[in-house]
Amino acid sequence: MAALVLFGGGGDLAMRMLLPSLYFLEHDGLLPDGLKIIGAARSDESREEYVAKVRAAVEGKAHADDAWSDEAWARLDARLDYLPVDATDPASLKPLKDKVGDMSAAGGVTSFLAVSPSLYGRIVTALKAAGLAEATDRVVLEKPVGRDLQSFLQIDDAVAHAFSEDQVFRIDHYLGKETVQNLIALRFGNTIFEPLWNSLSIDHVQITVAETFGVGDRWPYYDEYGALRDMLQNHMLQLLCLVAMEPPSDLDPDSVRNEKVKVIRSLRPITEHEADRVTVRGQYVAGTSEGKPAKAYSEERGQPSDTETFVAMRVDIDNWRWAGTPFFLRTGKRLAEKRTEIVIQFKPVPHSIFDHGARGEIAANRLVIELQPEEDIALSVMNKKPGLDQRMQLQPIQMSLSWGQGDKAAKPPRRRIAYERLLLDAMAGDSTLFVRRDEAEQAWKWIDEVSDAWHGAAFKPKEYAAGTWGPVEADLLLERDGRAWNTGHG
């Protein structure tokens, strides 16, 4: 019997994402036989009180997905337990060690640290002292690990002292999304895309992670990290790596992650002399978001701040495949709509055979991989307009590459929480969709260079009204080269 221990088991992440994910896995019969799930937190409450809280958190999500089952809940209930602990104190962890016993032959103990990263070092040290960091045990770390390279290394050195690298699972939940994984299948499982996946055929790539909500009462955390460290260092660079990496030799975890590291090492450094030309910092001021008045970030914080709530930048990858093809990244709070997408903009046809009247209607092919609010993959191609006009008229059409499009009667599968895949993989020891130490290290190194460039150039955030697409400078970032951000889906 293996065990999954959720440190911070009563917190927001556990109740909102992890425990509902475990319920859905139980519902679908995917949890390992005999798995014990133990919530561990500081609050002094009974198992019954804890399980009641878990049920309340799970039931709403399950009913929303038409996936509630009394039988599935009963099975999950039988797995659940709770222990009040101070995870930084080895003595406090002794009852937990006694409860899980020796699980080396059953798959070991997987400890998920759903707590503040500032506690990671002390917790892993306590886990080792308590005998919960044996050879078959694993630890899962939530992002962000550190706020710069120096703090990352300090935390990760403590982790490395307790667990070997193959026991450490640094999670980025974007990599658990079905559409993100489908990007790998799209690229490397089809002959029609990979030969075109380079600077000869692709004009540029856009990656957007846009959110409509503001920072609100999370400002103490956000003011320390900002959009650059909170979103770009992890989620966006991970998406960039999956788009840009070379074909791995196989799907072995190290084969995939070796190629991702190569991409990060190929990112062109951004210096303070170039910061104003290739990056945009922004901060939202008062406006209207989703039809309601929205406060400025400085009002939420209570005083002015130079923290960026928006970042847009041009990123160049200096390698053979991508030389000359820019990647444009943007992310921000209080933007016009919630949208996460990757846009592969192909180059236009080199010569039009159509007459002058139709020539202006030819649009270059575009592949849009949408992650939020829906998951979809759409390819824009040119097609003849129906009719008997002697001049051939063209129009763009959208071809959906999503599941079930060829079978209108097919019921689409439930949209899974990204943590479902990642929890299963962590417990199974499959690190393909997790971030390796050298990968995180290189990402922090590059992000620190951007931050230093901003500081050296005294680069202040530009204001943008809540409910818009960010500072006007973000549009100019593309317009100066005759390009534009994608304004629609597909």
Side-chain angles (χ1 to χ4, degrees):
M1 179 177 67
L4 172 65
V5 181
L6 302 179
F7 290 98
D12 177 70
L13 177 64
M15 291 295 174
R16 187 169 48 89
M17 290 291 180
L18 303 182
L19 288 157
S21 294
L22 290 166
Y23 167 81
F24 287 125
L25 291 172
E26 182 69 78
H27 179 275
D28 295 343
L30 297 174
L31 287 182
D33 292 340
L35 175 70
K36 192 73 174 175
I37 301 168
I38 303 171
R42 288 180 178 270
S43 58
D44 189 10
E45 56 187 332
S46 68
R47 177 194 178 277
E48 290 71 23
E49 290 172 323
Y50 178 71
V51 171
K53 286 167 54 178
V54 173
R55 176 164 182 156
V58 164
E59 195 167 359
K61 283 184 177 288
H63 279 302
D65 282 335
D66 194 26
W68 177 257
S69 161
D70 289 334
E71 293 78 10
W73 169 254
R75 296 196 303 271
L76 184 66
D77 186 336
R79 298 179 187 271
L80 287 170
D81 204 346
Y82 179 78
L83 278 177
V85 299
D86 176 359
T88 64
D89 179 7
S92 180
L93 291 175
K94 186 179 184 303
L96 176 61
K97 175 60 177 175
D98 293 341
K99 185 174 286 288
V100 299
D102 182 7
M103 292 197 169
S104 58
V109 177
T110 300
S111 296
F112 194 119
L113 306 192
V115 298
S116 169
S118 63
L119 299 174
Y120 286 173
R122 294 167 61 194
I123 290 176
V124 295
T125 301
L127 288 173
K128 184 175 179 63
L132 290 165
E134 302 301 319
T136 57
D137 297 332
R138 304 179 182 94
V139 64
V140 182
L141 307 178
E142 258 289 338
K143 74 94 181 172
V145 181
R147 69 173 303 278
D148 52 23
L149 179 59
Q150 182 179 356
S151 57
F152 166 77
L153 292 175
Q154 182 178 2
I155 294 171
D156 222 57
D157 284 347
V159 174
H161 182 70
F163 294 89
S164 62
E165 179 61 26
D166 63 349
Q167 296 175 275
V168 181
F169 293 77
R170 300 173 193 84
I171 205 167
D172 187 322
H173 71 268
Y174 268 46
L175 298 185
K177 292 180 178 292
E178 193 73 21
T179 308
V180 172
Q181 296 169 61
N182 207 16
L183 175 59
I184 298 174
L186 192 75
R187 282 195 60 187
F188 305 127
N190 299 282
T191 59
I192 63 172
F193 287 113
E194 186 56 26
L196 305 176
W197 212 265
N198 53 55
S199 60
L200 298 177
S201 300
I202 294 176
D203 178 79
H204 71 278
V205 176
Q206 300 177 21
I207 302 177
T208 294
V209 179
E211 298 171 320
T212 55
F213 55 83
V215 174
D217 57 8
R218 291 180 65 243
W219 72 261
Y221 159 81
Y222 200 84
D223 211 53
E224 183 180 0
Y225 285 82
L228 181 71
R229 292 180 170 88
D230 182 53
M231 292 297 293
L232 205 137
Q233 184 273 336
N234 39 76
H235 297 329
M236 301 194 76
L237 284 187
Q238 286 296 313
L239 295 179
L240 181 148
C241 285
L242 291 178
V243 173
M245 71 181 188
E246 293 298 315
S249 58
D250 50 43
L251 286 181
D252 177 79
D254 278 335
S255 297
V256 173
R257 298 192 294 179
N258 285 344
E259 299 304 333
K260 288 165 63 184
V261 172
K262 291 177 186 177
V263 173
I264 300 176
R265 286 176 175 165
S266 300
L267 298 180
R268 184 181 300 172
I270 293 176
T271 67
E272 64 181 80
H273 304 293
E274 293 181 309
D276 189 55
R277 183 180 66 85
V278 299
T279 71
V280 178
R281 294 183 79 201
Q283 185 183 109
Y284 60 83
V285 297
T288 302
S289 178
E290 298 182 313
K292 299 178 181 178
K295 293 181 178 180
Y297 176 73
S298 58
E299 293 180 88
E300 295 173 334
R301 187 179 182 276
Q303 58 183 337
S305 166
D306 284 340
T307 300
E308 76 281 350
T309 62
F310 175 95
V311 176
M313 62 174 60
R314 170 182 171 141
V315 178
D316 286 274
I317 301 174
D318 290 331
N319 64 18
W320 187 276
R321 180 182 290 263
W322 295 111
T325 296
F327 284 64
F328 295 99
L329 279 54
R330 65 172 171 174
T331 183
K333 306 286 189 184
R334 286 286 186 219
L335 297 183
E337 63 182 83
K338 180 179 181 179
R339 188 197 304 178
T340 300
E341 68 180 12
I342 302 167
V343 178
I344 312 297
Q345 180 64 59
F346 291 91
K347 292 182 177 180
V349 294
H351 171 71
S352 174
I353 65 171
F354 304 98
D355 64 32
H356 182 73
R359 193 175 303 165
E361 300 173 12
I362 300 178
N365 302 130
R366 173 178 286 184
L367 181 67
V368 178
I369 301 152
E370 184 182 351
L371 282 70
Q372 290 185 109
E374 301 298 329
E375 294 194 32
D376 187 29
I377 299 176
L379 178 64
S380 174
V381 298
M382 297 305 297
N383 188 49
K384 178 188 177 296
K385 285 184 178 180
L388 300 178
D389 196 310
Q390 289 184 333
R391 293 190 313 166
M392 183 178 289
Q393 299 292 312
L394 303 183
Q395 63 182 359
I397 63 169
Q398 305 297 323
M399 299 174 60
S400 178
L401 306 182
S402 296
W403 184 93
Q405 289 298 315
D407 183 359
K408 299 301 182 183
K411 181 181 178 181
R414 176 180 61 82
R415 184 177 178 182
R416 292 191 178 277
I417 302 173
Y419 283 96
E420 294 178 48
R421 160 57 58 194
L422 298 174
L423 283 166
L424 279 181
D425 285 356
M427 289 186 288
D430 184 345
S431 57
T432 305
L433 298 177
F434 296 83
V435 180
R436 202 168 62 191
R437 175 175 172 132
D438 57 344
E439 187 180 345
E441 193 172 329
Q442 288 294 324
W444 274 123
K445 180 181 178 182
W446 189 79
I447 290 295
D448 281 358
E449 290 172 347
V450 175
S451 181
D452 291 345
W454 285 350
H455 181 75
F459 198 36
K460 303 294 184 182
K462 309 286 186 182
E463 293 184 350
Y464 65 96
T468 66
W469 276 109
V472 65
E473 288 82 359
D475 293 327
L476 297 176
L477 191 65
L478 279 75
E479 288 175 4
R480 67 169 63 106
D481 294 324
R483 301 178 173 107
W485 292 106
N486 184 37
T487 56
H489 304 294

